[in-house]
Amino acid sequence: MLISSKNIRRLVKRVLKTAICVCLLAILYFVVGHTVGFTMESMDIRDIGLRISNLKTGLVTRINNIKDKNISELVGVSSDVSYKSGNSMSFRVKNQRKKLKRKKKINGWKENRKKKCFGKPRSGYCILEVDYKAENTTGFNNSVTLTTQATTGFEYHVEELCRRWQGPVSVAIYAPGDDLKSALENIEYLRRCGHECVRQWVTWHFLYDQMHPPESSLLKLSLNLMKKKVSSHSKNQLFSINCKSKPLSKGETYVRLNNLPYPINVARNVARLNAKTHYVFASDVELYPSENIIPRFLRLVESMKNGSSNFTTKRQVFVLPVFEVRSGIQPPTRKEDLRALIKRKDAISFHQYVCDVCHRIPDLHRWLKTYGSRESLKIFISTKRKYRGSYVGWEPFFIGTNQDPLFDERLTWNGRKNKMQVAHELCFLNYDLHILDDAFLVHASGIKYFNSSFVRMNRPFVATNRRVLIQDLRLLREKYKTDSC
């Protein structure tokens, strides 16, 4: 039976209080009567018993009324029990009724959202299995795939990424709710009106929160678009794309309006696991690479294979230093240009004013003075990621393979330190971190400074990430039987 235990407890407490008061009054009467010459005969005990009996009857009646209200709500008919509008019990019953309706609505909403996954479920998100595929393909060992992720409105960075990378790019777009339509519009614009490398080299993947899905009609449309079941004329009507005006913007997206966490590590893993080459480079969409990395890196790998018999079994990754330049300055593609900007103090190490140890490589000043070759990359220095020491917070960006540790998908972008778990695991697995001498990344959106309002807004996410990282570290120590990291 749908009886509110809270209401029953309140009524029982009220009756018990009344009964206790009556008993105390009786005792008081008895004591006072003896004191001033009265006897118990002067007090009508039957009145007390009658009061208690009436209270008991009232309690039973009210409980039955609550039952009737809940049962009538369950079967969908009006109850015969009526209350006066001013009665406090009437207010409580109505309030309970509203709560029940709200609970049913929320539960039904959750169940419906969980059922509608137009793809593969992953960590509470839905990955659309059909994607926009690049026109060009390459051999498994003949290139390096740059894997990255973004929210709606940041797709425009991909055009500059592919222009610089000149190889396969795998992008995962987080697009819950109405953001999927904006993402599709932006991607259609880039494929039609952007640089030809977007169409030739970039493969797009999509994911959304299962609790915040796009409309089913939009999901079906997106699948038909990717399967090329929609004609060019229909696309023009749907998106009304004009190459003279860009639809891309960072306006109020569904993610921002609903204050949703950005599952950056889910997106990172989706983009990385869909790469079609042996070597992958997991980077961020706003980090622009220097020029001509792929052919020079492959020559470096070939020379290392020839010089080492255990190259294929060795645990190693290849690290790219990261920098940021002032707003309005074009991110450099060559090391000599970067060196000049740093000398003028127009460029600094990435996050120098936010978290200096997070991306500053060992012996940075000597790295800046070295000169690379246009033919092949070389290893500037090989090091380890040590848990204790100067580089305790180091979260390097590196070229590796899909055999390297994946990112913990519970860590969000909002909570910061979302790459720290992988950095810890590289330490536990005793990876060699080879820092490349003439390859680097530059943040495209200016120099970052500490933002107290951002920290306040994301405090719950920061606390969650901290708890997850503490748990990850404990599990890694148990797994690898060591405390050295």
Side-chain angles (χ1 to χ4, degrees):
M1 285 186 287
L2 300 173
I3 305 172
S4 172
S5 59
K6 193 173 181 181
N7 283 339
I8 292 174
R9 283 197 300 273
R10 284 179 180 174
L11 290 170
V12 170
K13 283 180 182 178
R14 185 176 293 179
V15 170
L16 288 173
K17 284 179 181 178
T18 307
I20 291 168
C21 288
V22 171
C23 291
L24 288 172
L25 282 171
I27 294 167
L28 185 63
Y29 250 98
F30 179 77
V31 172
V32 171
H34 271 285
T35 305
V36 296
F38 287 95
T39 65
M40 280 298 291
E41 291 178 359
S42 63
M43 190 174 96
D44 193 350
I45 302 298
R46 286 175 297 179
D47 267 350
I48 298 171
L50 186 60
R51 280 190 180 187
I52 295 172
S53 177
N54 288 340
L55 285 169
K56 183 180 176 182
T57 306
L59 174 63
V60 172
T61 304
R62 290 185 176 186
I63 290 172
N64 288 334
N65 288 339
I66 292 171
K67 288 182 187 178
D68 292 340
K69 280 281 182 181
N70 284 296
I71 291 169
S72 64
E73 183 188 358
L74 184 64
V75 298
V77 296
S78 60
S79 173
D80 292 335
V81 181
S82 61
Y83 296 97
K84 293 180 182 178
S85 59
N87 196 317
S88 62
M89 179 56 66
S90 171
F91 173 76
R92 279 198 289 271
V93 171
K94 286 178 182 176
N95 196 31
Q96 181 67 14
R97 192 172 182 179
K98 285 180 182 177
K99 284 181 180 178
L100 285 168
K101 283 184 178 178
R102 199 181 300 120
K103 190 174 180 181
K104 288 176 188 174
K105 185 177 179 180
I106 290 170
N107 288 341
W109 180 77
K110 286 181 179 178
E111 287 172 8
N112 290 338
R113 294 305 188 270
K114 285 181 180 179
K115 287 177 184 176
K116 294 179 181 179
C117 183
F118 284 72
K120 186 178 179 182
R122 186 183 184 95
S123 300
Y125 297 88
C126 190
I127 317 303
L128 297 182
E129 293 180 315
V130 183
D131 46 39
Y132 278 106
K133 293 187 178 179
E135 294 176 356
N136 291 357
T137 57
T138 184
F140 185 67
N141 293 310
N142 295 339
S143 191
V144 182
T145 302
L146 190 154
T147 68
T148 189
Q149 30 59 43
T151 53
T152 302
F154 286 81
E155 300 92 344
Y156 71 96
H157 286 292
V158 175
E159 182 176 12
E160 184 64 21
L161 282 181
C162 74
R163 285 166 65 105
R164 291 169 176 244
W165 191 248
Q166 288 299 309
V169 179
S170 174
V171 187
I173 300 293
Y174 176 54
D178 299 335
D179 284 356
L180 181 59
K181 187 175 187 302
S182 300
L184 291 170
E185 190 175 51
N186 293 342
I187 292 165
E188 283 289 336
Y189 173 83
L190 287 173
R191 286 171 65 87
R192 291 191 217 174
C193 311
H195 193 276
E196 61 180 5
C197 70
V198 176
R199 197 172 57 258
Q200 292 173 350
W201 288 114
V202 182
T203 298
W204 304 85
H205 315 278
F206 300 88
L207 64 148
Y208 62 84
D209 191 330
Q210 284 186 252
M211 303 299 291
H212 296 270
E215 294 180 5
S216 56
S217 57
L218 182 58
L219 283 166
K220 290 174 183 175
L221 169 65
S222 65
L223 296 180
N224 288 332
L225 280 170
M226 293 174 220
K227 290 177 180 177
K228 299 183 179 178
K229 291 184 178 180
V230 180
S231 65
S232 298
H233 177 69
S234 300
K235 282 184 185 179
N236 291 333
Q237 287 184 330
L238 287 167
F239 299 120
S240 63
I241 290 173
N242 181 4
C243 288
K244 293 180 181 179
S245 60
K246 294 183 179 181
L248 308 154
S249 73
K250 296 183 188 177
E252 289 301 314
T253 61
Y254 185 91
V255 173
R256 290 188 180 184
L257 289 171
N258 291 274
N259 195 28
L260 298 181
Y262 175 31
I264 189 168
N265 281 354
V266 179
R268 277 176 174 148
N269 288 343
V270 168
R272 205 182 97 174
L273 292 171
N274 280 283
K276 305 299 181 188
T277 57
H278 176 63
Y279 285 104
V280 293
F281 175 37
S283 184
D284 288 349
V285 75
E286 292 182 291
L287 298 181
Y288 293 175
S290 55
E291 66 180 6
N292 200 27
I293 289 178
I294 295 176
R296 293 192 296 158
F297 173 77
L298 293 176
R299 291 189 196 106
L300 167 66
V301 168
E302 193 62 32
S303 65
M304 291 180 73
K305 280 182 182 177
N306 296 333
S308 174
S309 58
N310 65 340
F311 177 82
T312 54
T313 58
K314 207 173 178 184
R315 288 174 174 166
Q316 56 192 345
V317 292
F318 301 86
V319 177
L320 281 73
V322 194
F323 301 88
E324 52 191 7
V325 295
R326 296 194 184 280
S327 297
I329 296 177
Q330 181 68 16
T333 58
R334 297 184 301 172
K335 191 172 180 179
E336 49 263 39
D337 297 331
L338 174 67
R339 192 185 296 113
L341 288 172
I342 290 176
K343 192 174 181 179
R344 297 203 312 259
K345 297 185 179 179
D346 285 329
I348 58 173
S349 181
F350 189 47
H351 283 183
Q352 184 173 320
Y353 299 140
V354 179
C355 179
D356 190 30
V357 297
C358 294
H359 298 283
R360 178 184 285 270
I361 64 166
D363 214 353
L364 175 61
H365 293 292
R366 192 165 65 86
W367 181 89
L368 288 168
K369 293 177 181 178
T370 59
Y371 288 84
S373 166
R374 292 187 178 275
E375 299 300 320
S376 176
L377 291 172
K378 292 183 176 62
I379 294 173
F380 164 68
I381 191 175
S382 293
T383 184
K384 303 282 186 182
R385 199 279 186 187
K386 295 180 180 179
Y387 179 65
R388 296 177 179 86
S390 302
Y391 297 95
V392 64
W394 192 19
E395 297 179 277
F397 287 89
F398 55 83
I399 297 174
T401 72
N402 268 323
Q403 295 173 352
D404 301 327
L406 288 171
F407 298 94
D408 188 328
E409 297 182 356
R410 296 173 296 170
L411 298 170
T412 62
W413 172 82
N414 313 66
R416 307 192 310 181
K417 297 185 179 180
N418 42 68
K419 296 170 83 268
M420 192 66 74
Q421 157 263 332
V422 167
H424 282 316
E425 199 154 358
L426 294 181
C427 178
F428 279 104
L429 289 167
N430 200 31
Y431 265 72
D432 286 327
L433 276 62
H434 305 307
I435 298 172
L436 299 175
D437 69 333
D438 192 26
F440 57 89
L441 299 167
V442 182
H443 188 252
S445 301
I447 292 176
K448 287 190 174 183
Y449 296 91
F450 180 76
N451 188 336
S452 58
S453 61
F454 175 85
V455 173
R456 279 196 305 273
M457 184 176 66
N458 291 290
R459 192 169 289 154
F461 303 115
V462 172
T464 300
N465 274 21
R466 188 184 296 115
R467 285 195 299 270
V468 172
L469 284 170
I470 290 170
Q471 183 184 4
D472 279 338
L473 193 56
R474 178 176 55 81
L475 292 173
L476 288 170
R477 284 173 177 164
E478 290 175 2
K479 180 179 178 181
Y480 297 110
K481 313 287 185 196
T482 180
D483 288 332
S484 60
C485 289

